[in-house]
Amino acid sequence: MGETRHTGPTSEFHARNFSTADVARLVAGLDAQDGAAGVRRLRAWTQRALDPRPGERVIDVGSGTGSQTLVLAAAVEPSGDALGIEANPALREVAEQRGAAAGSRARFLDGDALALPLPDATVDVVWCERVLQHLSEPDKAVGEIARVLRPGGRVALIDSDWATALLHPGDPDAVAALMAGALAAAANPHSGRRLLGQLSAAGLVIDDQGSQALLQDNTTVPWPLVRMLGESTVRRGLMTEAQRERLYTELTEAAERGALHMSVTMFAVVAHRPD
């Protein structure tokens, strides 16, 4: 749990509304997710299934800090081309700095998932990770991915399904109310289960599927996120302030003894455009 992702004007995150400190927190959150065991395992599986090769052109839609873009760039070097597409200028700057420091040839471009700044049928490989959950028009984004793929080109979509979120322990009614708040926080909360159908509807052929639970470490619980969801749940009238404070206490005590479970399941689907 605790995912933060940005892809463009359809997302709830807008760079112009964030201070330098806010951007620093966002980058720190994305870096923490990069290090999460579940994310690393699903990325590794997806990369093997996607199989980017030297000489290919690859794009990373919603590239954020560019961590995965750099991995893709290394896979297609020396003659290939890797492009990260990201609407947030602060994240693009971070990605460019990190790419330069790593000696990577990856490039980063301003762009929106709903209108990719690329011609038709010009891309060999597309990576799009935990982006669609933030979009109110995710089908349009998948259509854009299908548009830019060359015949035989491959795509990997990775996204969470917030209906799979689990939180334990705590009063069942209070936990259920908090989970309802997590569902309401995303524009497309059931994204994970929709990937297969979206790719098929866009005319792409499914090659493989995978999944991985993102498990929260008890020592790094995102308490600001938990409190934000709790406050939102109280405002909606789904729980009382007393229930919220009792739930905070139960969760804090559980984390201190190493007994807190927080998780959400991510799904990955790899597909290709038929020749």
Side-chain angles (χ1 to χ4, degrees), residues 6 8-9 11-20 22-23 87-90:
H6 168 58
S11 168
E12 293 181 1
F13 178 91
H14 296 272
R16 63 179 177 272
N17 295 330
F18 273 56
S19 67
T20 301
D22 290 327
V23 172
N88 183 326

Side-chain angles (χ1 to χ4, degrees), residues 104-122:
S104 175
R105 296 175 60 188
R107 298 179 296 117
F108 297 91
L109 182 69
D110 180 21
D112 182 356
L114 301 184
L116 295 175
L118 297 166
D120 295 356
T122 55

